[in-house]
C-alpha cells in the first residue's frame, strides 16, 4: 500500500484546501469521490455520509464513511479521524506557486540555499515536501487506502471502521464539532460501540537528533485568555497625567509570554507555556492623545487545570503587571521632576482588575435587560463579520457603562476557540493502555522503531471534542467568563460527555509543519504506521 498512499497524498496536496477558502469544499469533494469509487461503497452508497456545515458560505462539508465487517455481528467500532484543511502558503514567498505541487516544489528547492538539515532531507529522497504533506493529508491518505484494502476482504473482517474527515481544524474546529451529531446518529442507527478513535495528525522530533516515534493517548486542551485594558487618555504634553493601557499590555505580555510558571502539569507531563497571539492598542487614528484602550490575548495550553485555577493565575499576573508598571512609572516621573525642578507627588494606582463574570453581575444590577442587549449586539457584530475574539470588546464597553465603571480597568475573559483536554487514565482506561503498549512493542520488534507513549498530543487537535475531562464546575466557570459563548462558540458539552470516545494520536511523521519547509518522512508514514494501525484493529476489534 506504500506507493498507493504516497500517490494519494500527492493528489490531495494538489488540492489547495487552505483554511477559510473554497478549497476546503474541494478537498471534501475529492475525498467523497475517492470513497465512492471503492467497490464496497458502490454497493453500500448510503455508508458514505456527507454533512454540509451549517450556514457556511464556503459550503464546506464533513465526509464520513462506515465500513461494516461481515464476518460476524460485532458492534465494536474504531473511528479513523483527521482534518482536511491546511494553513496558508504566504511563508513560501516566491515558492508560493509551487507549494501544492510536490514534484515541482522539490525541483525549485534544489535550486536555492537551504538549511543543512533541510537539504539533507530533500536530497535523501525519503521526504515529501509541500503544504499539507505532513499536516495532515498524508495521515488522511493512510486511512483511506487502508479502508480501501480492508473493504476487499469485508466478509472476513470483524467489527467496524468509521472514517471521519473534517474541515476547519486549523482555527475553530467547526467540522468535528458539528460532526458530533453524525457520530451520535451513526452510533444509534447501527448500534455501534465506539471503542477507540485514532487520529493521524502529524508527529515530529521533539528535539534535535530525536530518533523516537510518538504515540499520544490524549490531547492537551487550550483556552484563549483575553485582556481588555481601558486606561485614561491624555495629551502628550501632560503624559504623566494619563494611565497608559499599552504599557500595561506590554508588561502583561512580557510577564506571561513563554513563562513556564504557567505550564500545566499532569502525571509528569507539562504543557507548553502561553504564547502571545495578539497585542495592539485600539486607537484607530493618529493624534497626540495617548491610547485609551489596548487588547492582548494568549494561547494557553491545559493538561489538567480547572478554569478557576487558570483565572487565579492570570488575575495574579495582571495584578503583578499593574504593580510593576506603576512602580516604573513613578520612578520615571520622579526622575523627570528632579530634572525639571518640580515637586514630586507619587502617582496613585487607580487600576482595577475584574473578570467578565463579575463585570456582568455588576451591570445586570443596573440594567435587568442586559442579556437581551448583549445578544442583539452580538448578532449585529456577527453580521458585520467582526472577529469573534474582538466582539467581546464591544460588549465589555457596554457593560462598563451599565456598571458605572469609568476608572482604569483590566477585564479578563475567554474567547474562541476552546479546546477541552482529555487523556487515558491509569485506572479506568488500563485495558486500553495495555493493548496499545502491546501493539507498539510488536511493531518495535518488527520495524526497528522506538516508541514513546505520551499522555498529551502537544499540538491542537480535533480529538479534543470526542470526550471531555473537565469537571462541570470548570465548564460553568468557563461559560460565565466567555462572553456570549452560546452565540460565538457553542459547544455540545453534554453530547461530548455522552459520547466519551477515547482518542489517541498515532500520526504520520515529519518535520516543520506550518513552515515552508514542511515535509513528510515517507518510510515511517507509509511503511510502519500502516502496520501499527492494522495491529491496533486486530487488538481492539
Amino acid at each position: 500500500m506504500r506507493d498507493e498512499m504516497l500517490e494519494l497524498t500527492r493528489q490531495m496536496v494538489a488540492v489547495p484546501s487552505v483554511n477559510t477558502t473554497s478549497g476546503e469544499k474541494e478537498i471534501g469533494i475529492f475525498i467523497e469521490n475517492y470513497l465512492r469509487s471503492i467497490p464496497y461503497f458502490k454497493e453500500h452508497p448510503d455508508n458514505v455520509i456527507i454533512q454540509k456545515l451549517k450556514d457556511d458560505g464556503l459550503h464546506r462539508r464533513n465526509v464520513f464513511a462506515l465500513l461494516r465487517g461481515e464476518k460476524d455481528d460485532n458492534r465494536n467500532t474504531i473511528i479513523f479521524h483527521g482534518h482536511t484543511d491546511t494553513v496558508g502558503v504566504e511563508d513560501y514567498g516566491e515558492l508560493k506557486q509551487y507549494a501544492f505541487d510536490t514534484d515541482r516544489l522539490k525541483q525549485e528547492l534544489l535550486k536555492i540555499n537551504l538549511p543543512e538539515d533541510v537539504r539533507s532531507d530533500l536530497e535523501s529522497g525519503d521526504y515529501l515536501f509541500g503544504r499539507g504533506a505532513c499536516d495532515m493529508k498524508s495521515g488522511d491518505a493512510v486511512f483511506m487506502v487502508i479502508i480501501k484494502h480492508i473493504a476487499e476482504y469485508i466478509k472476513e473482517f470483524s467489527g467496524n471502521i468509521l472514517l471521519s474527515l473534517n474541515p476547519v481544524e486549523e482555527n475553530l474546529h467547526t467540522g468535528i464539532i458539528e460532526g458530533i451529531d453524525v457520530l451520535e446518529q451513526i452510533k444509534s442507527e447501527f448500534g455501534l460501540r465506539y471503542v477507540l478513535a485514532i487520529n493521524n495528525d502529524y508527529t515530529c522530533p521533539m528535539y534535535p537528533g530525536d530518533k523516537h516515534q510518538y504515540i499520544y493517548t490524549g490531547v492537551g486542551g487550550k483556552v484563549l485568555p483575553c485582556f481588555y485594558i481601558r486606561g485614561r487618555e491624555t495629551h502628550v504634553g501632560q503624559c504623566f497625567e494619563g494611565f497608559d493601557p499599552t504599557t500595561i499590555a506590554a508588561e502583561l505580555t512580557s510577564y506571561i509570554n513563554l513563562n513556564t510558571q504557567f505550564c500545566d502539569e499532569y502525571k509528569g507531563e507539562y504543557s507548553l507555556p502561553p504564547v502571545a497571539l495578539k497585542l495592539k492598542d485600539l486607537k484607530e487614528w493618529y493624534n497626540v492623545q495617548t491610547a485609551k484602550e489596548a487588547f492582548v490575548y494568549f494561547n494557553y495550553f491545559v493538561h489538567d487545570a480547572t478554569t478557576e485555577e487558570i483565572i487565579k493565575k492570570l488575575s495574579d499576573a495582571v495584578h503583578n503587571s499593574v504593580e510593576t508598571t506603576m512602580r516604573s512609572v513613578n520612578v520615571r516621573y520622579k526622575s523627570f521632576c528632579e530634572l525639571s525642578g518640580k515637586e514630586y507627588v507619587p502617582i496613585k494606582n487607580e487600576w482595577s482588575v475584574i473578570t467578565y463574570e463579575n463585570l456582568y453581575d455588576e451591570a445586570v444590577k443596573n440594567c435587568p435587560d442586559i442579556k437581551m442587549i448583549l445578544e442583539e449586539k452580538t448578532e449585529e457584530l456577527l453580521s458585520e463579520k467582526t472577529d469573534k475574539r474582538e466582539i467581546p470588546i464591544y460588549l465589555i464597553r457596554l457593560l462598563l457603562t451599565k456598571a458605572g465603571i469609568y476608572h482604569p480597568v483590566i477585564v479578563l475573559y475567554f474567547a474562541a476557540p476552546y479546546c477541552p483536554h482529555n487523556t487515558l487514565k491509569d485506572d479506568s482506561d488500563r485495558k486500553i493502555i495495555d493493548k496499545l503498549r502491546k501493539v507498539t512493542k510488536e511493531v518495535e520488534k518488527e520495524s526497528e522503531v522506538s516508541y514513546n507513549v505520551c499522555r498529551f498530543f502537544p499540538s491542537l487537535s480535533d480529538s479534543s471534542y470526542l470526550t471531555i475531562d473537565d469537571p462541570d464546575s470548570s465548564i460553568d466557570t468557563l461559560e460565565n467568563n466567555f462572553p456570549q459563548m452560546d452565540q460565538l462558540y457553542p459547544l455540545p458539552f453534554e453530547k461530548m460527555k455522552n459520547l466519551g470516545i477515547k482518542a489517541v494520536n498515532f500520526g504520520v511523521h515529519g518535520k516543520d509543519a506550518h513552515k515552508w519547509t514542511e515535509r513528510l518522512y515517507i518510510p515511517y508514514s507509509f511503511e510502519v504506521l500502516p502496520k501499527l494501525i492494522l495491529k491496533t484493529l486486530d487488538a481492539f476489534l
Side-chain angles (χ1 to χ4, degrees):
M1 294 186 286
R2 174 194 184 279
D3 293 343
E4 192 174 346
M5 291 171 177
L6 176 58
E7 178 56 28
L8 182 57
T9 300
R10 293 182 190 276
Q11 293 175 15
M12 293 177 70
V13 169
V15 182
S17 56
V18 173
N19 183 270
T20 70
T21 71
S22 60
E24 288 193 85
K25 171 189 173 183
E26 298 306 317
I27 193 64
I29 292 173
F30 176 95
I31 292 167
E32 179 186 359
N33 290 338
Y34 177 90
L35 293 169
R36 293 198 185 280
S37 71
I38 296 172
Y40 174 85
F41 292 113
K42 288 182 178 179
E43 296 176 14
H44 303 86
D46 292 343
N47 283 21
V48 176
I49 300 113
I50 306 302
Q51 179 195 29
K52 295 183 179 179
L53 301 192
K54 300 171 187 173
D55 304 318
D56 185 55
L58 294 173
H59 307 289
R60 293 170 288 191
R61 71 273 310 277
N62 289 321
V63 182
F64 298 89
L66 178 61
L67 191 70
R68 302 187 67 198
E70 298 176 1
K71 180 179 180 180
D72 51 22
D73 183 18
N74 183 351
R75 296 189 299 135
N76 289 345
T77 305
I78 282 185
I79 297 173
F80 288 169
H81 82 99
H83 69 86
T84 56
D85 56 328
T86 73
V87 293
V89 294
E90 291 74 15
D91 52 331
Y92 280 82
E94 293 184 358
L95 297 176
K96 179 179 177 180
Q97 60 184 312
Y98 311 117
F100 302 109
D101 184 336
T102 57
D103 290 335
R104 183 64 186 275
L105 179 62
K106 180 177 181 179
Q107 295 173 17
E108 297 300 322
L109 287 171
L110 287 168
K111 299 176 184 177
I112 65 175
N113 290 325
L114 295 169
E116 183 178 343
D117 62 324
V118 177
R119 177 156 295 277
S120 175
D121 290 345
L122 180 68
E123 294 177 348
S124 72
D126 286 336
Y127 286 83
L128 181 69
F129 285 70
R131 175 59 81 232
C134 178
D135 182 17
M136 61 162 286
K137 288 179 177 176
S138 52
D140 297 334
V142 168
F143 282 151
M144 292 159 67
V145 172
I146 285 177
I147 283 178
K148 175 183 175 182
H149 284 274
I150 288 178
E152 296 173 7
Y153 304 93
I154 198 64
K155 294 187 183 302
E156 302 167 38
F157 187 70
S158 178
N160 314 280
I161 300 173
L162 175 59
L163 177 69
S164 172
L165 298 181
N166 316 104
V168 207
E169 189 266 359
E170 294 290 359
N171 57 1
L172 293 176
H173 305 274
T174 312
I176 190 65
I177 291 170
E178 293 192 16
I180 288 171
D181 287 338
V182 177
L183 294 178
E184 272 196 328
Q185 173 193 333
I186 293 175
K187 179 182 180 183
S188 175
E189 181 179 346
F190 295 97
L192 304 180
R193 181 190 299 112
Y194 294 143
V195 296
L196 191 69
I198 302 173
N199 193 358
N200 250 356
D201 216 337
Y202 78 96
T203 63
C204 59
M206 300 305 292
Y207 52 86
D210 185 8
K211 301 299 183 183
H212 294 98
Q213 300 296 335
Y214 291 86
I215 287 178
Y216 301 96
T217 63
V219 60
K222 171 244 183 79
V223 291
L224 194 82
C226 306
F227 299 87
Y228 166 78
I229 307 167
R230 189 185 71 184
R232 182 179 296 146
E233 69 277 24
T234 186
H235 192 287
V236 295
Q238 293 86 41
C239 54
F240 286 106
E241 295 179 12
F243 285 82
D244 182 12
T246 65
T247 307
I248 296 290
E251 180 62 38
L252 187 62
T253 302
S254 178
Y255 184 78
I256 293 178
N257 195 51
L258 302 180
N259 187 342
T260 56
Q261 291 181 33
F262 296 91
C263 293
D264 189 24
E265 185 268 346
Y266 179 76
K267 301 287 187 179
E269 288 190 23
Y270 289 82
S271 67
L272 288 163
V275 176
L277 294 178
K278 174 80 77 172
L279 169 62
K280 66 177 182 177
D281 66 58
L282 301 179
K283 187 176 173 182
E284 296 180 354
W285 56 81
Y286 168 81
N287 59 25
V288 289
Q289 184 184 64
T290 60
K292 181 178 182 178
E293 302 166 300
F295 178 56
V296 58
Y297 60 72
F298 300 85
N299 186 91
Y300 191 119
F301 284 122
V302 185
H303 279 180
D304 192 53
T306 64
T307 310
E308 295 91 341
E309 292 168 337
I310 294 168
I311 288 176
K312 175 65 168 60
K313 276 191 171 184
L314 293 172
S315 295
D316 289 347
V318 181
H319 286 292
N320 177 285
S321 298
V322 167
E323 291 171 4
T324 301
T325 299
M326 292 308 300
R327 282 197 302 270
S328 175
V329 168
N330 272 296
V331 167
R332 294 175 182 188
Y333 181 47
K334 184 178 181 181
S335 175
F336 175 74
C337 289
E338 292 170 350
L339 285 172
S340 57
K342 296 180 180 179
E343 180 183 356
Y344 168 66
V345 178
I347 301 170
K348 294 182 179 179
N349 179 12
E350 296 185 21
W351 291 97
S352 67
V353 181
I354 190 170
T355 62
Y356 181 83
E357 179 179 11
N358 290 339
L359 174 60
Y360 181 91
D361 289 344
E362 287 299 312
V364 79
K365 293 176 184 177
N366 301 327
C367 182
D369 295 332
I370 193 65
K371 184 176 185 294
M372 182 180 66
I373 294 172
L374 296 179
E375 288 175 355
E376 292 174 353
K377 185 64 176 177
T378 301
E379 285 301 322
E380 174 190 334
L381 293 166
L382 282 171
S383 67
E384 296 171 359
K385 307 299 183 184
T386 306
D387 187 282
K388 288 187 175 183
R389 282 132 295 272
E390 300 192 20
I391 286 177
I393 291 172
Y394 298 86
L395 308 183
I396 289 170
R397 289 168 176 159
L398 281 171
L399 292 172
L400 288 170
T401 300
K402 298 298 183 183
I405 297 175
Y406 297 99
H407 60 266
V409 62
I410 299 109
V411 182
L412 165 62
Y413 68 90
F414 295 101
Y418 162 64
C419 305
H421 62 84
N422 58 70
T423 192
L424 299 181
K425 302 297 190 296
D426 290 341
D427 47 4
S428 58
D429 300 314
R430 173 50 56 189
K431 289 183 179 179
I432 298 176
I433 294 170
D434 289 344
K435 284 183 179 181
L436 288 172
R437 290 192 179 279
K438 181 180 178 182
V439 168
T440 56
K441 288 187 181 300
E442 289 179 6
V443 177
E444 283 177 332
K445 290 179 180 178
E446 294 179 11
S447 303
E448 296 183 354
V449 297
S450 175
Y451 282 107
N452 273 357
V453 180
C454 304
R455 294 180 185 276
F456 297 99
F457 183 58
S459 301
L460 301 171
S461 164
D462 279 345
S463 295
S464 278
Y465 304 93
L466 297 181
T467 187
I468 183 168
D469 286 353
D470 286 294
D472 291 342
S473 59
S474 180
I475 295 172
D476 290 342
T477 302
L478 174 78
E479 291 181 297
N480 291 337
N481 287 283
F482 193 127
Q484 302 305 113
M485 187 175 187
D486 57 343
Q487 290 176 279
L488 297 178
Y489 202 65
L491 287 181
F493 286 112
E494 287 305 314
K495 292 181 180 180
M496 290 157 59
K497 287 181 185 177
N498 291 336
L499 277 174
I501 302 168
K502 305 300 181 181
V504 299
N505 192 92
F506 285 177
V508 294
H509 191 79
K511 299 177 182 178
D512 292 356
H514 292 209
K515 301 178 185 178
W516 65 275
T517 49
E518 174 181 354
R519 57 201 185 274
L520 172 79
Y521 184 54
I522 296 170
Y524 176 81
S525 302
F526 298 149
E527 295 171 15
V528 181
L529 174 62
K531 294 179 183 179
L532 177 67
I533 294 172
L534 292 171
K535 287 181 180 294
T536 303
L537 292 175
D538 281 342
F540 283 86
L541 298 183

